[in-house]
Amino acid sequence: MSGLIGKKIGMTSIFDENGKNIPCTVIEAGPCVVTQVRTEEVDGYEALQLGFDDKAEKRAPKAAQGHFKKAGTSPKYKVVEFQGFEEEYKLGDTITVEHFTEGEFVDVSGTSKGKGFQGVVKRHGFAGVGQATHGQHNRLRAPGSIGAASYPARVFKGMRMAGQMGNEKVKVQNLRVLKVVADKNLLVVKGAVPGHKNSYVIIQK
């Protein structure tokens, strides 16, 4: 799937032609520079490596500096490979937000907000012990039983327990593009996308 790298700016809402209030996310999509062209002959597959968000040269290791110098561009913070571009692009070409059109549907993936170590009520939606009376003490948000007894004498894999929540890759599919603001490199999509403000997202179509 072809696409671009972007940065989540934040959420807002706009009114459509029927006066309905639509929640939407504003993404700074591109411009992305083609930093490498993968070919069938050399790499065994065809893809474009895109770079986004300029980085100071002193912050990039020597190997990365040479890699970006081949493309005639400054080092980038985020580099991602995409497949399925219909147009032919060369090393050093720039792809802008105009790659997308209003009304089409895109998939957006990013890293969800980290929630830290959470209990089963927040992490898995457990109800906790049903009531606070009848001799219950400090059990309201407890996980309850995690298995049987001497058989199977172990805890099954995948048992839902307390633990680290969030901070994982999430893809939200079929978000409609509401607006493309080419002069500011902005893409407005309907609904929410994963991640905190200023986090990197990958937009595919």
Side-chain angles (χ1 to χ4, degrees):
M1 295 166 75
S2 65
L4 284 178
I5 313 167
K7 189 183 275 189
K8 178 177 173 178
I9 302 296
M11 288 195 74
T12 182
S13 61
I14 59 176
F15 291 93
D16 66 4
E17 59 276 3
N18 301 319
K20 191 177 178 186
N21 193 10
I22 301 174
C24 54
T25 305
V26 182
I27 301 170
E28 181 190 340
C32 294
V33 180
V34 178
T35 53
Q36 191 173 0
V37 179
R38 301 282 194 185
T39 59
E40 191 76 48
E41 302 82 57
V42 178
D43 306 289
Y45 66 101
E46 291 190 355
L48 289 181
Q49 186 191 83
L50 302 185
F52 172 71
D53 204 8
D54 290 338
K55 180 196 280 191
E57 195 136 310
K58 67 178 181 180
R59 293 190 177 277
K62 279 283 194 288
Q65 286 180 24
H67 180 73
F68 290 112
K69 206 162 274 181
K70 278 184 191 172
T73 183
S74 60
K76 306 292 182 190
Y77 273 108
K78 187 73 173 170
V79 175
V80 179
E81 278 189 10
F82 293 91
Q83 293 179 322
F85 280 97
E86 292 169 5
E87 304 87 357
E88 285 287 324
Y89 290 104
K90 301 190 298 296
L91 198 63
D93 285 355
T94 301
I95 307 174
T96 65
V97 72
E98 289 169 304
H99 180 65
F100 301 103
T101 54
E102 291 180 13
E104 72 178 347
F105 291 87
V106 295
D107 297 347
V108 181
S109 56
T111 305
S112 61
K113 288 180 178 178
K115 307 284 185 185
F117 192 102
Q118 295 299 330
V120 290
V121 174
K122 185 180 176 82
R123 193 179 187 213
H124 298 297
F126 283 20
V129 172
Q131 65 275 323
T133 57
H134 293 292
Q136 306 291 352
H137 175 66
N138 289 351
R139 307 302 299 156
L140 275 177
R141 301 174 71 87
S145 169
I146 59 166
S150 57
Y151 178 82
R154 65 190 176 93
V155 177
F156 289 123
K157 281 188 176 175
M159 178 66 62
R160 294 179 299 167
M161 296 184 181
Q164 161 73 38
M165 181 181 175
N167 193 33
E168 56 190 8
K169 189 175 180 183
V170 179
K171 179 184 275 193
V172 181
Q173 295 181 306
N174 297 324
L175 299 178
R176 186 154 54 89
V177 176
L178 300 177
K179 270 187 185 174
V180 177
V181 188
D183 55 332
K184 294 183 178 176
N185 299 311
L186 295 180
L187 190 71
V188 181
V189 297
K190 181 179 177 181
V193 305
H196 56 79
K197 289 177 185 175
N198 290 322
S199 63
Y200 294 115
V201 292
I202 296 167
I203 313 132
Q204 295 173 303
K205 69 171 186 175

